[in-house]
Structure formats: structure tokens, C-alpha cells
Amino acid sequence: MMKTKKNPEMDMRTRIIWGAVLIAVGLLVLFLFAFSTEAGQMTKFGLNLSKGDAFVVPDLLLPTQPTNYLLALILVGVGAFQMARGVKSTGTLVAVLAFSFVMAFLVWAARDKSFSLVGMLSSSVVRATPIALAALCGVISERAGVTNIGIEGTMLFAAQVSVIVGTISGNLWVALLAAILTGGLVASLHAFLVIKFKVDQIISGTAVNILGAGVTSFVSSRFLEKNIDALNNSGTLPSISIPLLSKIPVIGPVLFENTPIVYLTIILVAVLHIVLFYTPWGLRTRAVGEHPKAADTLGVNVYLMRYVNVIFGGMFAGLGGAYFTIGSVGRFDEVMTAGKGFIGLAAMIFGKWTPIGAYTSSLIFGFADSLQVKLQILKVGIPPEFLLMAPYIVTMIVLTGVVGKAVAPAADGAPYEK
Amino acid sequence: MTDKTVKTTPSEKKDNKFDLRQIFEGSYNTLLPLLAIFTGLVIGAIVIAGTDATVIEAWKNFFQAPGAAFAAAWTSIATAYGALFGGSLGNPKEILAGIQAYFSTGDSAALLKSIYPISESLVTATPYIFAGLAVAVGFRCGLFNIGAEGQFFMGALGSVFVGYSLKGLPAIIHLPLALLGGIAAGALWGAIPGYLKAKFGAHEVVNTIMMNWIGFRLSDWLLNGPMKAPGYRPVTSAVSEAAELPRFFPDPLRLNWGFILALLVAWLIYWLLFKTTIGFEIRTVGANPDAAKYAGVNIVRNFVLAMVISGGLAGLSGASQVLGVDHWVGQGFSAGYGFDAIAIALLGKSHPLGVVLAALLFGVLRGGATRMQSMAGIPVDIISIIQGLVIIFVAAPGIIRWLYRIHPAKNKQALQSRG
């Protein structure tokens, strides 16, 4: 099933297929988007979030039809080049393909209308946050050799605890802390089951998910629904804009005007990257995930490393759970995570089990998610239900590994027996 | 304490000569699920009592009136579980009176009324049997099919479409066609993750969950668009009478041929898994894919086949619910059957007989849960909590052994699915 040998040069067949796909998509753009527009139409992309910015950049005004012709040409051109000569990196091909197609689609969908590009990028970053935190949870656990598919349930627990603590205490920072601790606690249950009792890791994760949905729904209908103001109305964390940086056009409103959870996530990505690849702790973690026996022989405490990493991972997931309640809407709804924990796992795989890769791929999922929302507003004639499927379909495509194969840590999912 | 029991596992591998402990082990294997269920119910009871306002009040005065505190807790638990089992099994006295009335006067009304709760439990157990078998077949091939929920939904839509769109066919043709429609839709929904797993090694757990969400969105669209019946509500038309699974009793009792079909299919799956080459290959792939590969078994084909069978069974589960009980499909049609099925397959140790028994248990629990909610005010989600706990206890026999101080001869891993 898994291809173990890796070709530096693409073989002939793959090369032709990629080229054909690019040309086909180029033609698709031509027929679907370019031909269905009229010569005079213009597309306006808004580049400012609010009118009060210090520097107002002019909006991007594109002629709809020529832009689409150009993008179709790029796709066909790159496709033809790929067929004839072959581009070395699949990543470049995917980037060209995805960028051109999405751009062409947006230009077409927003013809004769104004479309806030900055608004969409900004919401992509926000929507990527819980996915990224779930992915980071996956990265740190799986690097230590423990699969955690219970992230979804962990996030639900944390989301509910944080809203209740926040409403009762009136302090959202305490609520944030409570969410993180809850995440750690739930993860320690998973760790205990799979490390101590050697329960199958997938089964344990499933049990956590079922318990997460069950307990939070139970608490919700037994307590929260009757006492909304006393228990389920916490308000949301304030949006903090970073001085100076938030004034930069385009990038400023996208990156530097967000809730603390978004900043924390970006900081965590950097910290985790350094810890994982430049510290003894990280080396031990990876050793435990790749070859626990060897690590054990060298005196690394395999069980301890696994416990600590899984629990830290749970704390990330807890932070991700807090995003759903005190980070965005200020109340808890049953099963409000809607599969984000699992999408996070896909982001982890797509990001090749690295923190930075996981964050980047989370951004792609966040983009797909916010695209879907914006398109509903633009009324492009595609039923909203199909747009809602987009993130899930993207996940499945990513998991096929067509877009760059990733290899899991060798001892991932296997219990360690001394 | 627990270390000891867990760690003795590998050292006892040589223990293959006959001794008395092996006899104990047999009963231990059936004892374990029972203890797991029992422990789950006990913890469920603690949750029920612990979240009850009157019980909490009584326990605040524990040192003044300890008796009252225990009494309050007992009342709370007894009311809840009384409603649960009363709502699912009925009242034995009423059933006896009903039987007497039937034999003395020939009037069946009282009897039918008294067996209504049991009938409802069996009605609930029917889709559970199919869905539990679906997950079990996946497990046997080493695949974790969490997508039974989506496959259930697609199966329901497939069968309802065949059920209402065809007109004027005799039941003997229409009913099988409608069932097949459900099987085909579910099998398709299962085949996609199966193929992706086999071909690309894509994780079936994540993919089946993605297929669930895609299925939910697709059904939202179908119910609001192409398959919507005339009117305001997002529901399909009812299936024609020829496509319905016939019911055994007059109206309020909904027990139908779906239940018998479920038992037959369980037997069929038993035969397939344990008496045919196909089943042998599926189980070999599940036990050790590498060994299977070297023995010449086609892994790709078996992964896809297992997921097609699994998805088809889950689809049949949806079909049985539509054709036997509801006769039409609306939004939020599935009440989590696919997720419950995971617990059922685990509890039944992925054996068809075990699955049937576990499904009957969950039929009883779910059947009574609605009554418990209306009578005792306990949210139905308590069943999910009990379920999660049962999964943990079945998968971690060490906990149960530690709780009840059981020391079996051999520690058999409950069930392994590959990640």
C-alpha cells in the first residue's frame, strides 16, 4: 500500500498525467470562467478591512475576462511544459494549479462585484487556528509514537469547560487556563489507557470522542440549556491589535489584529519547531516515536516521554477547544467542533508531522473553509451544501498523498513493551 | 497492582499445557463484557445521581441526615433506571395479565399494549444489528469503519428513492429492489475510503469521518432539493406500500420483518467470515497484512471488498429503518446508529453472535432512554456516556480485572484494529 521507494525524478507516466491534469484544468477555466463573462466586466478585490486604516491601499481592480484568459494560458502553458520537459517538484505544480484555479474562480465569482480579499484572508487565519492546534496536538503525540484520534472529543470537553468557567468566574483568562488544563486531563486519560493498559490507540481515541460528545451533550441539556445566563454566556476574548504591525497594509489586518488564541498558536508553532528539532528533549521525543527500543537502551524513559508529550498535545487541543467558545461565539453548542479535530489530523499528515508544515496546511484548510462562507454571500449559484463539503473533500484529496507523500514516525500507534 | 496483571502477558506464552485455569478462561471471556456493561451502568448511575439537584441538596446535609442522602440518591437512580428498563422491557405483571386475558377472552388488546415496549426495543435493535455487523466486518479486516453513520444515511436515502420513485411493482420485486438500493448506496460510501486506503494508504478513520460529513451535507441538499416531497418540510415522499417491510402486529407496534432479516444476515455474515475462502482472506488480512501478502492474498482487493461489505451492511441498516419503521426520510434521520455500532462491534468482539446480543442490549438501552428522558428528565446522552465507558472497559480488560480482582490464566487482547 505504501510506496517505500522514492523517485527523485518523476517517472514518465506521472509526468504525463500531471501535465494532462494541468492542461485539463486550464481548459476548464477557459470554458467555465472565461467564456461565461463579458468583455467589459471588472472584478474588485478589497484590500482594506476598515476605512480607518492609517495607510489606505487602493483596491485591486481586475478586468474579469482577460484575467481568466491569462490564468487559463498559464495553466495550459505550465501543463505543456510539464509534459515536454517535466518540472522537478510536485509542490510547484500543485501551487500553480491551486493558485490559478482558485484565483480564476474568485475573479469569475466576484465579477461586477466587490470582494474583500483581506477579509477572506483574515478569516482564513482565524478559521485555521483550531485546525492548527489540533494538528499540533497530533504532531507532538505522534512524534512520540502515540496516535491520538480523540482530539475532537478533547476539544469538545475543553470548549465546554472554558465557557462554564468563563461565565461563572467572569474572567476569560481563567477560562482559557481551564480549557488548557481540561485538554491535558482528557489526554492523560488517553495516555493512561494506551501506555499503561496498552489499549488499541484508535479504540481509546474513539472512546474519548464518544465520551466527549456524550458528556458535553449531557451537561448541555441537563444544565446549560436551563441556565444560559448563569452558565453558558461567557463573552469572547478581546481582539488585540499589535501596535505598528497592525498598520501594515494587507498583512496588518490579516495577521496582527486577532484574538490571543491566534497569536498563541503562531508562537506555539515556532516554539514547538525549536523544541522538536533543536533540543535534547525533541531528539528524545522523536527517538521514542521512531525506535523506542533503541531509545530505551540509551536510557531514555519511553513511557515518561510518551506521557508528557501526549499530555502537552492535549493542552494544545484544549486551547483549540477554547477557540470554539470563548475565542469566537461565547457559548457552547452541542457537537460544535464539527470534525475540526479530524481535519487537524489531515493537516498534520499533509504537513509531514512538522509544526510549520502542519500550520501551513491548516491555513489551506482555513482558506477552504472561509472561501465557502464568502461564496455563499456572493451567491455564485452553487448550492451552499456543496460549498460546505469543500474542506472535507480537500482533506480526502490531501490524504491520498497525491500531493507529496508523507511518512509517519515508524513506531506511531504501536504500544511499547519493555 | 495493575502492572502485575498486564506484565505477566508475554511471560505466560509458554502456558499451553492443559490445566484448570483454561476452563476458567472460557467463562472469563463471557464474564468480561458483562462486567464491563455492569460497571458502565454503575458509573452511569453515579452520574445520574450526582447531577440531580435534589440529590445534591440532600448530600449537603450528609452529616445531619446520612440516611436521607442515600435515600435521595437511590430514588433518583431507581426512577431513572426504572423508567429506562420499564420503557424498554415493559411491566412483567401487565404482560402476564395480557396473556391471561388473551387466553381467557381471546382479546389481544391488553397483551399487545403490554408488549409494546419490548417491540420498540427490538425495532431499535434491528438497525443496530446491521450496523454492528458493518463495523465488525471492518474490524475483522483490520479496518476501522467510523463511517457507518454516513453509510447508514446514504443507505436510507438510496432505499427511500427506490421506494417512492417506482410505482405499481408487486412487493416481491419492489421490496428487494428498495433494499438493494440501500445496500448499493451504503456500499458506494464505504468503497471510496476502502479504495483510498488500499491504493494510497490513506487513513480510513479520517476518511470515513470525512465521508460522514460529506454525506450529511449531500443529504441536506437532496432533502431540500431533488428528493424533497411537495410541501414546506425538507422530507422525502413516503415509500409505496409494496416497498415496506411488513409488520407483524397492528399499528402502534412497529416490529417488522427487518428484525428477522437482521438475524438472517447475521448468520450469513458468520458463514461468510468463518466458512468461506473470502472470509478467511479478509480475516488473514486483518490479522497480519504482511503475512497475508506473502501468502499471495490480494490486500487491495480485500480492503475494498471488506469496506464494500461493511458499507453495504450499514446501508442495509438505514434501509431497514426506512422501509420497516419510518417509511420516509427527514433531516437528522439517523440518531447516531453508526457511532453506537462501534461500541456494539467491540462489545460483541466482532463476532456476529456477539454483535446480535450487544445490539439487543443497546436496543433496550436506547429504546428506554427516551422514556427516561421524559419521565425522569435524564438526557438521552447518558447512553453515550455509558457506551464510551463500556468501550474503554472492553478494550482495557486490565481495569475490569483490577476492579474485580480477577486473575485469569491468559490475558487475551480484546480486539485489535490497526491504526
Side-chain angles (χ1 to χ4, degrees), chain A residues 183-221:
Chain A
L185 202 67
V186 177
S188 62
L189 169 73
H190 177 65
F192 183 65
L193 286 174
V194 303
I195 300 170
K196 183 91 172 173
F197 286 103
K198 307 206 163 42
V199 172
D200 185 285
Q201 300 185 353
I202 303 286
I203 291 175
S204 169
T206 306
V208 169
N209 284 333
I210 290 179
L211 277 179
V215 171
T216 55
S217 302
F218 181 81
V219 171
S220 192
S221 45

mmCIF file of all heavy atoms in Angstrom, chain A residues 183-221:
data_model
loop_
_atom_site.group_PDB
_atom_site.id
_atom_site.type_symbol
_atom_site.label_atom_id
_atom_site.label_comp_id
_atom_site.label_asym_id
_atom_site.label_seq_id
_atom_site.Cartn_x
_atom_site.Cartn_y
_atom_site.Cartn_z
ATOM 1 N N GLY A 183 -7.882 19.989 28.528
ATOM 2 C CA GLY A 183 -7.280 19.257 27.418
ATOM 3 C C GLY A 183 -6.212 18.301 27.915
ATOM 4 O O GLY A 183 -6.167 17.136 27.522
ATOM 5 N N GLY A 184 -5.366 18.796 28.823
ATOM 6 C CA GLY A 184 -4.314 17.950 29.371
ATOM 7 C C GLY A 184 -4.877 16.762 30.127
ATOM 8 O O GLY A 184 -4.379 15.637 30.026
ATOM 9 N N LEU A 185 -5.954 17.018 30.852
ATOM 10 C CA LEU A 185 -6.568 15.963 31.665
ATOM 11 C C LEU A 185 -7.160 14.859 30.781
ATOM 12 O O LEU A 185 -6.947 13.668 31.026
ATOM 13 C CB LEU A 185 -7.670 16.585 32.535
ATOM 14 C CG LEU A 185 -8.067 15.813 33.779
ATOM 15 C CD1 LEU A 185 -6.919 15.789 34.768
ATOM 16 C CD2 LEU A 185 -9.299 16.438 34.400
ATOM 17 N N VAL A 186 -7.895 15.270 29.748
ATOM 18 C CA VAL A 186 -8.503 14.278 28.851
ATOM 19 C C VAL A 186 -7.417 13.485 28.145
ATOM 20 O O VAL A 186 -7.500 12.262 28.014
ATOM 21 C CB VAL A 186 -9.443 14.961 27.836
ATOM 22 C CG1 VAL A 186 -10.014 13.941 26.871
ATOM 23 C CG2 VAL A 186 -10.563 15.687 28.549
ATOM 24 N N ALA A 187 -6.365 14.189 27.716
ATOM 25 C CA ALA A 187 -5.274 13.496 27.034
ATOM 26 C C ALA A 187 -4.577 12.524 27.978
ATOM 27 O O ALA A 187 -4.101 11.472 27.548
ATOM 28 C CB ALA A 187 -4.271 14.501 26.482
ATOM 29 N N SER A 188 -4.536 12.876 29.275
ATOM 30 C CA SER A 188 -3.872 11.958 30.192
ATOM 31 C C SER A 188 -4.681 10.669 30.356
ATOM 32 O O SER A 188 -4.110 9.602 30.571
ATOM 33 C CB SER A 188 -3.608 12.620 31.539
ATOM 34 O OG SER A 188 -4.810 12.990 32.134
ATOM 35 N N LEU A 189 -6.007 10.770 30.203
ATOM 36 C CA LEU A 189 -6.820 9.544 30.196
ATOM 37 C C LEU A 189 -6.427 8.658 29.015
ATOM 38 O O LEU A 189 -6.189 7.452 29.161
ATOM 39 C CB LEU A 189 -8.312 9.890 30.123
ATOM 40 C CG LEU A 189 -9.248 8.710 29.843
ATOM 41 C CD1 LEU A 189 -9.357 7.816 31.062
ATOM 42 C CD2 LEU A 189 -10.628 9.166 29.406
ATOM 43 N N HIS A 190 -6.325 9.293 27.836
ATOM 44 C CA HIS A 190 -5.919 8.547 26.635
ATOM 45 C C HIS A 190 -4.531 7.938 26.842
ATOM 46 O O HIS A 190 -4.315 6.759 26.566
ATOM 47 C CB HIS A 190 -5.930 9.504 25.438
ATOM 48 C CG HIS A 190 -5.474 8.890 24.153
ATOM 49 N ND1 HIS A 190 -6.161 7.876 23.531
ATOM 50 C CD2 HIS A 190 -4.395 9.143 23.372
ATOM 51 C CE1 HIS A 190 -5.522 7.535 22.425
ATOM 52 N NE2 HIS A 190 -4.451 8.291 22.308
ATOM 53 N N ALA A 191 -3.610 8.756 27.365
ATOM 54 C CA ALA A 191 -2.245 8.281 27.571
ATOM 55 C C ALA A 191 -2.228 7.108 28.541
ATOM 56 O O ALA A 191 -1.559 6.091 28.302
ATOM 57 C CB ALA A 191 -1.380 9.420 28.107
ATOM 58 N N PHE A 192 -2.987 7.246 29.620
ATOM 59 C CA PHE A 192 -3.058 6.194 30.633
ATOM 60 C C PHE A 192 -3.558 4.895 30.010
ATOM 61 O O PHE A 192 -2.989 3.822 30.219
ATOM 62 C CB PHE A 192 -3.991 6.659 31.747
ATOM 63 C CG PHE A 192 -4.106 5.711 32.896
ATOM 64 C CD1 PHE A 192 -3.016 5.439 33.707
ATOM 65 C CD2 PHE A 192 -5.315 5.103 33.179
ATOM 66 C CE1 PHE A 192 -3.128 4.568 34.770
ATOM 67 C CE2 PHE A 192 -5.443 4.230 34.239
ATOM 68 C CZ PHE A 192 -4.343 3.958 35.038
ATOM 69 N N LEU A 193 -4.624 4.991 29.210
ATOM 70 C CA LEU A 193 -5.199 3.781 28.610
ATOM 71 C C LEU A 193 -4.228 3.125 27.639
ATOM 72 O O LEU A 193 -4.066 1.910 27.634
ATOM 73 C CB LEU A 193 -6.501 4.120 27.877
ATOM 74 C CG LEU A 193 -7.705 4.414 28.767
ATOM 75 C CD1 LEU A 193 -8.878 4.880 27.927
ATOM 76 C CD2 LEU A 193 -8.098 3.172 29.547
ATOM 77 N N VAL A 194 -3.578 3.936 26.801
ATOM 78 C CA VAL A 194 -2.770 3.311 25.748
ATOM 79 C C VAL A 194 -1.364 2.954 26.231
ATOM 80 O O VAL A 194 -0.748 2.040 25.697
ATOM 81 C CB VAL A 194 -2.678 4.179 24.472
ATOM 82 C CG1 VAL A 194 -4.055 4.473 23.940
ATOM 83 C CG2 VAL A 194 -1.919 5.458 24.706
ATOM 84 N N ILE A 195 -0.836 3.672 27.216
ATOM 85 C CA ILE A 195 0.516 3.364 27.669
ATOM 86 C C ILE A 195 0.485 2.328 28.786
ATOM 87 O O ILE A 195 1.187 1.332 28.764
ATOM 88 C CB ILE A 195 1.251 4.641 28.122
ATOM 89 C CG1 ILE A 195 1.337 5.625 26.945
ATOM 90 C CG2 ILE A 195 2.650 4.302 28.625
ATOM 91 C CD1 ILE A 195 1.810 6.999 27.321
ATOM 92 N N LYS A 196 -0.380 2.551 29.757
ATOM 93 C CA LYS A 196 -0.453 1.636 30.905
ATOM 94 C C LYS A 196 -1.170 0.339 30.539
ATOM 95 O O LYS A 196 -0.681 -0.742 30.778
ATOM 96 C CB LYS A 196 -1.199 2.342 32.040
ATOM 97 C CG LYS A 196 -1.294 1.535 33.303
ATOM 98 C CD LYS A 196 -0.130 1.834 34.207
ATOM 99 C CE LYS A 196 -0.322 1.190 35.556
ATOM 100 N NZ LYS A 196 0.902 1.349 36.352
ATOM 101 N N PHE A 197 -2.363 0.483 29.944
ATOM 102 C CA PHE A 197 -3.160 -0.716 29.672
ATOM 103 C C PHE A 197 -2.990 -1.231 28.252
ATOM 104 O O PHE A 197 -3.607 -2.202 27.860
ATOM 105 C CB PHE A 197 -4.638 -0.440 29.953
ATOM 106 C CG PHE A 197 -4.934 -0.365 31.423
ATOM 107 C CD1 PHE A 197 -5.122 0.847 32.048
ATOM 108 C CD2 PHE A 197 -5.009 -1.514 32.182
ATOM 109 C CE1 PHE A 197 -5.379 0.924 33.395
ATOM 110 C CE2 PHE A 197 -5.274 -1.454 33.534
ATOM 111 C CZ PHE A 197 -5.454 -0.237 34.149
ATOM 112 N N LYS A 198 -2.190 -0.528 27.448
ATOM 113 C CA LYS A 198 -1.922 -0.940 26.070
ATOM 114 C C LYS A 198 -3.207 -1.159 25.268
ATOM 115 O O LYS A 198 -3.297 -2.056 24.434
ATOM 116 C CB LYS A 198 -1.071 -2.194 26.056
ATOM 117 C CG LYS A 198 0.179 -2.003 26.884
ATOM 118 C CD LYS A 198 1.325 -2.860 26.464
ATOM 119 C CE LYS A 198 2.620 -2.352 27.025
ATOM 120 N NZ LYS A 198 2.591 -1.906 28.421
ATOM 121 N N VAL A 199 -4.192 -0.314 25.539
ATOM 122 C CA VAL A 199 -5.420 -0.354 24.744
ATOM 123 C C VAL A 199 -5.073 0.092 23.328
ATOM 124 O O VAL A 199 -4.219 0.965 23.150
ATOM 125 C CB VAL A 199 -6.460 0.606 25.356
ATOM 126 C CG1 VAL A 199 -7.676 0.737 24.457
ATOM 127 C CG2 VAL A 199 -6.869 0.130 26.726
ATOM 128 N N ASP A 200 -5.707 -0.525 22.343
ATOM 129 C CA ASP A 200 -5.529 -0.090 20.967
ATOM 130 C C ASP A 200 -5.760 1.416 20.887
ATOM 131 O O ASP A 200 -6.753 1.934 21.384
ATOM 132 C CB ASP A 200 -6.531 -0.825 20.073
ATOM 133 C CG ASP A 200 -6.313 -0.514 18.620
ATOM 134 O OD1 ASP A 200 -6.667 0.580 18.174
ATOM 135 O OD2 ASP A 200 -5.770 -1.385 17.925
ATOM 136 N N GLN A 201 -4.815 2.125 20.246
ATOM 137 C CA GLN A 201 -4.855 3.589 20.314
ATOM 138 C C GLN A 201 -6.048 4.187 19.585
ATOM 139 O O GLN A 201 -6.581 5.217 19.987
ATOM 140 C CB GLN A 201 -3.533 4.145 19.775
ATOM 141 C CG GLN A 201 -2.374 3.617 20.609
ATOM 142 C CD GLN A 201 -1.042 4.198 20.230
ATOM 143 O OE1 GLN A 201 -0.914 4.918 19.266
ATOM 144 N NE2 GLN A 201 -0.022 3.889 21.009
ATOM 145 N N ILE A 202 -6.458 3.522 18.508
ATOM 146 C CA ILE A 202 -7.613 4.029 17.770
ATOM 147 C C ILE A 202 -8.883 3.847 18.608
ATOM 148 O O ILE A 202 -9.741 4.726 18.679
ATOM 149 C CB ILE A 202 -7.776 3.283 16.425
ATOM 150 C CG1 ILE A 202 -6.505 3.410 15.588
ATOM 151 C CG2 ILE A 202 -8.975 3.788 15.677
ATOM 152 C CD1 ILE A 202 -6.292 4.741 14.959
ATOM 153 N N ILE A 203 -8.983 2.700 19.265
ATOM 154 C CA ILE A 203 -10.175 2.432 20.066
ATOM 155 C C ILE A 203 -10.247 3.406 21.236
ATOM 156 O O ILE A 203 -11.298 3.974 21.537
ATOM 157 C CB ILE A 203 -10.184 0.972 20.549
ATOM 158 C CG1 ILE A 203 -10.416 0.040 19.360
ATOM 159 C CG2 ILE A 203 -11.251 0.759 21.604
ATOM 160 C CD1 ILE A 203 -10.321 -1.420 19.685
ATOM 161 N N SER A 204 -9.118 3.626 21.884
ATOM 162 C CA SER A 204 -9.110 4.564 23.004
ATOM 163 C C SER A 204 -9.508 5.964 22.538
ATOM 164 O O SER A 204 -10.311 6.644 23.188
ATOM 165 C CB SER A 204 -7.723 4.594 23.636
ATOM 166 O OG SER A 204 -7.618 5.652 24.528
ATOM 167 N N GLY A 205 -8.969 6.385 21.389
ATOM 168 C CA GLY A 205 -9.323 7.696 20.853
ATOM 169 C C GLY A 205 -10.807 7.786 20.549
ATOM 170 O O GLY A 205 -11.462 8.800 20.819
ATOM 171 N N THR A 206 -11.366 6.689 19.993
ATOM 172 C CA THR A 206 -12.792 6.678 19.696
ATOM 173 C C THR A 206 -13.613 6.796 20.968
ATOM 174 O O THR A 206 -14.618 7.518 21.010
ATOM 175 C CB THR A 206 -13.169 5.380 18.956
ATOM 176 O OG1 THR A 206 -12.334 5.265 17.815
ATOM 177 C CG2 THR A 206 -14.608 5.390 18.530
ATOM 178 N N ALA A 207 -13.160 6.089 22.011
ATOM 179 C CA ALA A 207 -13.878 6.178 23.288
ATOM 180 C C ALA A 207 -13.849 7.617 23.801
ATOM 181 O O ALA A 207 -14.866 8.133 24.280
ATOM 182 C CB ALA A 207 -13.248 5.235 24.310
ATOM 183 N N VAL A 208 -12.708 8.275 23.674
ATOM 184 C CA VAL A 208 -12.620 9.673 24.105
ATOM 185 C C VAL A 208 -13.594 10.539 23.299
ATOM 186 O O VAL A 208 -14.282 11.401 23.857
ATOM 187 C CB VAL A 208 -11.170 10.203 23.960
ATOM 188 C CG1 VAL A 208 -11.120 11.709 24.141
ATOM 189 C CG2 VAL A 208 -10.263 9.528 24.968
ATOM 190 N N ASN A 209 -13.674 10.270 21.987
ATOM 191 C CA ASN A 209 -14.602 11.046 21.157
ATOM 192 C C ASN A 209 -16.045 10.828 21.569
ATOM 193 O O ASN A 209 -16.830 11.770 21.660
ATOM 194 C CB ASN A 209 -14.427 10.676 19.684
ATOM 195 C CG ASN A 209 -13.182 11.292 19.092
ATOM 196 O OD1 ASN A 209 -12.718 12.334 19.558
ATOM 197 N ND2 ASN A 209 -12.620 10.646 18.100
ATOM 198 N N ILE A 210 -16.411 9.562 21.803
ATOM 199 C CA ILE A 210 -17.797 9.265 22.173
ATOM 200 C C ILE A 210 -18.109 9.877 23.539
ATOM 201 O O ILE A 210 -19.160 10.489 23.736
ATOM 202 C CB ILE A 210 -18.037 7.735 22.172
ATOM 203 C CG1 ILE A 210 -18.004 7.217 20.735
ATOM 204 C CG2 ILE A 210 -19.372 7.396 22.819
ATOM 205 C CD1 ILE A 210 -18.191 5.734 20.609
ATOM 206 N N LEU A 211 -17.156 9.747 24.475
ATOM 207 C CA LEU A 211 -17.361 10.349 25.787
ATOM 208 C C LEU A 211 -17.450 11.870 25.675
ATOM 209 O O LEU A 211 -18.277 12.509 26.329
ATOM 210 C CB LEU A 211 -16.216 9.979 26.727
ATOM 211 C CG LEU A 211 -16.319 8.619 27.416
ATOM 212 C CD1 LEU A 211 -15.096 8.394 28.278
ATOM 213 C CD2 LEU A 211 -17.573 8.552 28.276
ATOM 214 N N GLY A 212 -16.594 12.445 24.819
ATOM 215 C CA GLY A 212 -16.604 13.898 24.653
ATOM 216 C C GLY A 212 -17.954 14.386 24.177
ATOM 217 O O GLY A 212 -18.542 15.305 24.764
ATOM 218 N N ALA A 213 -18.468 13.747 23.117
ATOM 219 C CA ALA A 213 -19.771 14.153 22.607
ATOM 220 C C ALA A 213 -20.855 13.864 23.638
ATOM 221 O O ALA A 213 -21.747 14.690 23.877
ATOM 222 C CB ALA A 213 -20.069 13.433 21.292
ATOM 223 N N GLY A 214 -20.774 12.687 24.292
ATOM 224 C CA GLY A 214 -21.808 12.274 25.235
ATOM 225 C C GLY A 214 -21.847 13.163 26.469
ATOM 226 O O GLY A 214 -22.899 13.700 26.827
ATOM 227 N N VAL A 215 -20.706 13.346 27.113
ATOM 228 C CA VAL A 215 -20.680 14.109 28.363
ATOM 229 C C VAL A 215 -21.059 15.569 28.109
ATOM 230 O O VAL A 215 -21.881 16.138 28.829
ATOM 231 C CB VAL A 215 -19.281 14.022 29.023
ATOM 232 C CG1 VAL A 215 -19.188 14.979 30.198
ATOM 233 C CG2 VAL A 215 -19.001 12.609 29.486
ATOM 234 N N THR A 216 -20.500 16.175 27.056
ATOM 235 C CA THR A 216 -20.803 17.591 26.839
ATOM 236 C C THR A 216 -22.274 17.788 26.464
ATOM 237 O O THR A 216 -22.896 18.744 26.909
ATOM 238 C CB THR A 216 -19.898 18.204 25.756
ATOM 239 O OG1 THR A 216 -20.005 17.433 24.572
ATOM 240 C CG2 THR A 216 -18.457 18.261 26.200
ATOM 241 N N SER A 217 -22.831 16.863 25.667
ATOM 242 C CA SER A 217 -24.250 17.000 25.332
ATOM 243 C C SER A 217 -25.120 16.794 26.570
ATOM 244 O O SER A 217 -26.127 17.473 26.761
ATOM 245 C CB SER A 217 -24.658 15.992 24.253
ATOM 246 O OG SER A 217 -23.886 16.180 23.110
ATOM 247 N N PHE A 218 -24.706 15.835 27.406
ATOM 248 C CA PHE A 218 -25.448 15.565 28.643
ATOM 249 C C PHE A 218 -25.460 16.812 29.531
ATOM 250 O O PHE A 218 -26.522 17.272 29.962
ATOM 251 C CB PHE A 218 -24.777 14.400 29.378
ATOM 252 C CG PHE A 218 -25.443 13.998 30.665
ATOM 253 C CD1 PHE A 218 -26.555 13.181 30.656
ATOM 254 C CD2 PHE A 218 -24.955 14.447 31.881
ATOM 255 C CE1 PHE A 218 -27.168 12.813 31.834
ATOM 256 C CE2 PHE A 218 -25.565 14.089 33.064
ATOM 257 C CZ PHE A 218 -26.679 13.269 33.050
ATOM 258 N N VAL A 219 -24.289 17.360 29.768
ATOM 259 C CA VAL A 219 -24.182 18.558 30.610
ATOM 260 C C VAL A 219 -24.956 19.706 29.975
ATOM 261 O O VAL A 219 -25.666 20.458 30.647
ATOM 262 C CB VAL A 219 -22.701 18.942 30.818
ATOM 263 C CG1 VAL A 219 -22.580 20.299 31.487
ATOM 264 C CG2 VAL A 219 -21.997 17.889 31.638
ATOM 265 N N SER A 220 -24.845 19.799 28.646
ATOM 266 C CA SER A 220 -25.517 20.879 27.942
ATOM 267 C C SER A 220 -27.019 20.820 28.157
ATOM 268 O O SER A 220 -27.643 21.819 28.530
ATOM 269 C CB SER A 220 -25.180 20.779 26.457
ATOM 270 O OG SER A 220 -25.569 21.933 25.803
ATOM 271 N N SER A 221 -27.620 19.631 27.955
ATOM 272 C CA SER A 221 -29.081 19.604 28.065
ATOM 273 C C SER A 221 -29.546 19.519 29.518
ATOM 274 O O SER A 221 -30.672 19.892 29.819
ATOM 275 C CB SER A 221 -29.687 18.480 27.222
ATOM 276 O OG SER A 221 -28.982 17.299 27.376
#
